Amino acid sequence: MKLPFLVLALTPFVHGAPAGFEMTNFAEPLRVEYPTALTAAADGTVYVSADRNGSLGKDRDVGKVVSCRDTDGDGKADEFFDFVPKIDSPRGGHFVGDTLYIIHPPLLSSFRDTDGDGVADEHKVLLENIGFGLNHPRGSDHTTNGCRMGIDGWLYIAVGDFGMEGTTGTDGRVVTMRGGGVARVRPDGTQLEVYSYHTRNNCDVAISPYLDLFTRDNTNDGKGWDTRVHHFTNGSEHGYPRLYKNFTSEAVKPLLDVGGGSGTGALYLHEPGFPGEVGDQLYTCDWTTGKIYRHPLEAIEASFKAGQEEFMNLERAVDIDVDGESRLYVCDWRGGRFRYAGEGVKVGMVQRLTIPGMEVEKWPDLTKMGDAGLLGQVGHRSAVRRLEAQREILKRGQKPEMAEGLMEMIQDGDVPLYGRVAAIFTLKQLYGSKANAPLMECGDPEVREFVLRAVADRRDQLEGAPVQAYIDALDDENARVRLQAVIGLGRLGAKQAAPGLIKLGSKTWEERRHLGEGEDYRIPHACVRVLGGLEAWEACLEAVKNPATRQVALQGLQLMHKEEVVEGLEQLLMHEGVDEELRFDVMSALARLCFTEGEWDKKEWWGTRPDDRGPYFAVAEWSGTPKVKAILERGFSKAPKSEHGRIIDVMAKNRIDISTLDLGARDPLLMALGSAELDQAGVTLLTGAALDEGRPWDVRLRCYRSLVRGESGKVLKNRIEILSKWADEEGRVEVAEREIADFISSPALVLELEGLHEIALKENAQMSRIAWRTLLSFSQSPLVKVGFKEQALKMVKNDPRQVGFFLALQDLKLRGFDEQIEAAIDSDNDTLIEEATRTREMLAALSVAGGKMVADLSPEEVMKAAMEASGDVARGQVLFSQQGCIACHAVDQDAVQKGPYLGSAGGKFTRDYLIESILDPNKVVAQGFQTELITLKDGSVQMGFVTREEDGVIEIRNIAGVATELKASEVVKRDHQSTSMMPPGLAASLSLGEFVDLIDYMGSLKK
């Protein structure tokens, strides 16, 4: 169809329609409220999943699915039915044909209205245990979310990082996936399988006309996994949380890494009612930023490069979909937070977008259309029409005329590729394995990729699939064909193809070394994954001998926990002619094979920040572990000392406790870094290394942070000594300040007040400065208990005569110590007089943070004033530490992570949200950081938020920011509280001006 517009500007209005679009409020409270997702039927009926629980509530019977229809054509729904009147946790779905497929954890169900009264009367459970329901402590947060049907007939499911534990289909098949990703299942609940592995909390799956899958993922609050846009292919491993930190080459790269946010809905729009590329584009939603984005895609190898442009600005963008007449629907969690807001609060909005004057075909009644007409719809420009026509054809069953018509479309080069793809998968679904032979006879290179995919797509329909054709396709000039050949060989179990897979993967492995930013070569990754699945260890061991094929072969071997693999690697390692690179590579593979994946302990998973060390969720020994350790010991003894450092490093990364190995003469520093406990010798070594400017910076930082394993009082002076040197070292001032800020906010140091005071009084000016900053901070912090606070205040009020004290006052911009300043000025120490005078002048020059106290104003008054005023960012930064915020929140991803990460607060949250989060923390408690009450076997109770769970240890941080490690085996009960750990009165001691300073500082954080 010819489009009347050639150009469409895409600059969005604030909270309005994109330029060129007309927007109407399609459905709003109280008809539709708390919308978690939506799906548009082809005829324009919109099915809205509504759930008062949001993501954190756990009440029963507060969810439903509402159908909304505009019967008079004014752009606003006027007919509403509770299509599913009661359903717990409706997370999203897809309406296809006459059926709503919907995820409502722990179930995937289908619903049909068979009697036409607007209410579903047929309910079938397709999957059980797909995610976790309201019985889980976290409710439905981060559980399984939306689903969408592809033209291949699979329902693709966005699995949140709760994962799938024993998910069961209607055919009895049971599948487990630890963590998030994408699963798929046939529409009748059979043949469930994992499609892509290990994302964080993807909420939806977008599917292109060519069966590329995309999603927008979720940030993990400061541990280096930001919001990402992914391209999924069959078997792809995306790396969260096991690989993305320490084993990046083993996971596919995201298309985009876009900082803080919370990805929600996704749609690949392929409809004729939009001009230019607008109607052939990927769109994603972000709850945190409130925006809907469009993503131009550029093909590279078998994947893409992606861009990101703002398409629409909402308050809380939740979902997007399109009907069969090119009408877009967007869903906004407007006015809501993470759970029910109470009676009278209107939450949510569904809006419709159309382009005025754009000509679109009216939606036809496909059930009354003849077979020839249906064939025409299979090749239509509209993805909605292609899918709906396909479902109607499948419902009518096998017909010779239809099979002939589909084959003609497949072979007709004048039919657009999207139509030929739809015809291929329609034929395959109609005839199953009987379609394989005629499909393989189609020699047109343009459709070869899709023929290969269709023939191997279902493991129960592989009869007549020619393995040799897939092997031959490994050399195809089209990268997408090569990728489908690799995937197909894995599904066919073609172990004989291993040499070809190694050759292909190695070729593109070398090319991948020269990638530009944002590029991802998918083929070598797929080759490694398939080699591991085939357990093609013989071919891989042979390929290790050749440097050109070594890396792909070793990566494949790392996935095979077999005695034969260990023995083969041992032979290579102990061969007399082994060179150092081969030795290191083989020992790296052996280090990976030392352990295997442990059993899934559901008590420990899920956590907001799961253990990201990798390479396993939980390491466990297997039958080959003792032999692997013995080989590593022998290999280490044969390696030159110059190689010892990187060999120990790779063993440590693979979670091998090097103190349990007999490594002969070892570098004492490396041993200190790898030791679970720290003696005085280790403290000395680590301190010296941290101070040594000749060592790599990352090693120095690791040495400093490793000192926390020592007894607090015995390493206190060492830590301050290191920080003071870094603060004077060229190029280290910024990182030193970050580590100093973290140090002075460490609540455990309240037990070391005497030691801090001694350092403040006796050490050099820079060390004294850090000690006084710590004591001054404790004397002001609302999080420090009264007894400790009074003790610290007594120390700082006792007329200090150290230069470091006045330097600390300058650092903190802290008033209230006029007497101490005047006493120093009145002393006979010229240096002290000079610094005290400088302190008095600096504090006098600062603008007075005046106004009433926050405690004396109502929240509404504070909100109004803080929204209108502007403050001092530098002063706010000081207050962030002074008020104790830094004890629980990091603002730098390189800092030690604690509670909710705030380094991107200004980019993620609106100003009113930041204000409210301090005034009423319980109203906007961050997902994943609810208070937990942990009861231990000895009857004691710990309350706080969990910041780390790994190796049977739970780290919980209490209200004062003190971290305590608990053994998971000692835990009797874990209860999630509805309140935030953050107390509501933290701002009470601030003036209104100081409060504005703090808000301005938080708003400036946009990393």
Side-chain angles (χ1 to χ4, degrees), residues 783 880 883-885 888-889 900 902 913-926 929-931 944-945 957-960 979-987 995 998-999 1002:
L783 294 180
F880 189 82
Q883 293 302 107
C885 308
C888 294
H889 302 282
L902 294 182
Y913 184 97
L914 293 173
I915 296 168
E916 190 174 41
S917 68
I918 297 175
L919 296 177
D920 188 2
N922 291 330
K923 188 172 183 180
V924 291
V925 57
F929 293 95
Q930 302 151 289
T931 307
F945 53 79
R957 194 172 287 264
N958 68 14
I959 193 170
T979 56
S980 168
M981 273 294 300
M982 182 175 165
L986 281 181
F995 182 76
L998 180 60
I999 294 299
M1002 293 175 65

Side-chain angles (χ1 to χ4, degrees), residues 166-178:
T167 304
T168 307
T170 56
D171 55 359
R173 178 169 171 77
V174 179
V175 173
T176 290
M177 176 169 63
R178 194 168 177 175

Side-chain angles (χ1 to χ4, degrees), residues 351-391:
Q351 293 166 308
R352 194 187 80 173
L353 298 172
T354 55
I355 296 180
M358 182 67 70
E359 296 180 12
V360 293
E361 298 177 49
K362 293 296 182 184
W363 180 253
D365 185 347
L366 297 181
T367 63
K368 297 178 181 178
M369 188 175 287
D371 290 349
L374 280 178
L375 267 175
Q377 296 293 306
V378 170
H380 200 282
R381 170 65 175 75
S382 164
V384 173
R385 288 174 183 259
R386 295 195 297 273
L387 181 60
E388 292 291 338
Q390 180 193 79
R391 305 320 292 176

Side-chain angles (χ1 to χ4, degrees), residues 253 300 510-521:
K253 294 176 64 175
I300 174 171
E510 181 61 26
E511 292 172 358
R512 192 171 69 170
R513 292 176 58 193
H514 308 291
L515 290 179
E517 183 65 30
E519 298 175 4
D520 172 37
Y521 277 24

Side-chain angles (χ1 to χ4, degrees), residues 101-144:
Y101 301 93
I102 191 164
I103 299 285
H104 54 119
L107 305 174
L108 166 66
S109 294
S110 65
F111 292 91
R112 293 176 64 233
D113 170 18
T114 64
D115 56 14
D117 65 352
V119 179
D121 50 81
E122 177 189 283
H123 173 205
K124 294 180 180 179
V125 174
L126 306 179
L127 293 176
E128 297 179 348
N129 297 325
I130 180 78
F132 298 83
L134 295 177
N135 59 326
H136 192 279
R138 288 288 304 280
S140 295
D141 184 33
H142 285 246
T143 187
T144 306

Side-chain angles (χ1 to χ4, degrees), residues 730-867:
E730 186 177 353
R732 303 295 177 208
V733 177
E734 184 176 346
V735 71
E737 183 56 39
R738 181 191 72 206
E739 296 298 322
I740 290 170
D742 196 64
F743 174 85
I744 68 175
S745 68
S746 175
L749 291 182
V750 297
L751 302 176
E752 305 296 340
L753 292 179
E754 293 294 341
L756 286 164
H757 195 211
E758 185 175 355
I759 293 170
L761 295 175
K762 296 181 179 180
E763 298 299 330
N764 65 54
Q766 290 303 326
M767 291 180 66
S768 173
R769 180 183 200 167
I770 295 170
W772 279 123
R773 277 181 68 176
T774 310
L775 291 168
L776 284 163
S777 294
F778 286 161
S779 74
Q780 305 296 310
S781 174
L783 294 180
V784 174
K785 289 184 177 180
V786 174
F788 293 120
K789 191 171 182 175
E790 289 177 348
Q791 187 179 353
L793 191 59
K794 183 179 179 180
M795 291 173 176
V796 300
K797 288 285 188 179
N798 193 25
D799 286 351
R801 298 300 176 96
Q802 292 75 42
V803 169
F805 176 78
F806 298 99
L807 293 172
L809 285 181
Q810 294 172 33
D811 292 338
L812 296 174
K813 300 179 174 62
L814 196 59
R815 299 181 183 85
F817 294 90
D818 293 343
E819 290 183 12
Q820 288 71 27
I821 293 172
E822 295 304 324
I825 292 174
D826 197 36
S827 72
D828 59 358
N829 184 318
D830 291 343
T831 304
L832 189 62
I833 293 170
E834 182 181 346
E835 206 56 59
T837 302
R838 183 180 291 111
T839 303
R840 181 174 64 180
E841 292 171 350
M842 189 208 77
L843 293 176
L846 291 175
S847 59
V848 178
K852 295 182 179 179
M853 301 301 290
V854 169
D856 298 330
L857 300 170
S858 70
E860 291 76 20
E861 290 173 315
V862 177
M863 172 68 79
K864 183 176 186 300
M867 287 295 292

Side-chain angles (χ1 to χ4, degrees), residues 602-788:
K602 269 68 71 178
K603 291 181 180 179
E604 290 190 16
W605 184 264
W606 181 86
T608 300
R609 292 182 182 151
D611 188 349
D612 56 16
R613 291 172 296 168
Y616 305 107
F617 288 97
V619 296
E621 293 192 352
W622 62 293
S623 61
T625 297
K627 184 164 187 176
V628 170
K629 287 185 176 181
I631 298 170
L632 288 172
E633 290 172 344
R634 290 168 57 201
F636 188 84
S637 68
K638 291 180 176 293
K641 287 187 177 181
S642 60
E643 290 292 297
H644 284 186
R646 67 171 182 157
I647 292 174
I648 286 178
D649 190 55
V650 81
M651 288 194 288
K653 280 185 177 180
N654 283 281
R655 314 270 286 278
I656 300 172
D657 185 351
I658 57 176
S659 65
T660 65
L661 301 181
D662 181 8
L663 300 182
R666 296 164 289 183
D667 183 338
L669 176 62
L670 293 174
M671 295 304 297
L673 283 170
S675 175
E677 297 182 1
L678 203 57
D679 57 17
Q680 189 54 49
V683 170
T684 302
L685 279 168
L686 292 171
T687 302
L691 292 169
D692 184 359
E693 294 186 42
R695 290 185 180 271
W697 173 247
D698 61 332
V699 173
R700 298 176 69 192
L701 186 59
R702 282 174 59 196
C703 289
Y704 167 73
R705 290 183 175 175
S706 294
L707 283 171
V708 299
R709 299 200 308 272
E711 191 175 332
S712 179
K714 293 182 179 179
V715 299
L716 182 64
K717 185 175 177 180
N718 302 72
R719 294 176 68 191
I720 292 178
E721 179 186 6
I722 294 166
L723 292 173
S724 68
K725 182 172 187 306
W726 288 356
D728 282 339
E729 192 175 312
E730 186 177 353
R732 303 295 177 208
V733 177
E734 184 176 346
V735 71
E737 183 56 39
R738 181 191 72 206
E739 296 298 322
I740 290 170
D742 196 64
F743 174 85
I744 68 175
S745 68
S746 175
L749 291 182
V750 297
L751 302 176
E752 305 296 340
L753 292 179
E754 293 294 341
L756 286 164
H757 195 211
E758 185 175 355
I759 293 170
L761 295 175
K762 296 181 179 180
E763 298 299 330
N764 65 54
Q766 290 303 326
M767 291 180 66
S768 173
R769 180 183 200 167
I770 295 170
W772 279 123
R773 277 181 68 176
T774 310
L775 291 168
L776 284 163
S777 294
F778 286 161
S779 74
Q780 305 296 310
S781 174
L783 294 180
V784 174
K785 289 184 177 180
V786 174
F788 293 120

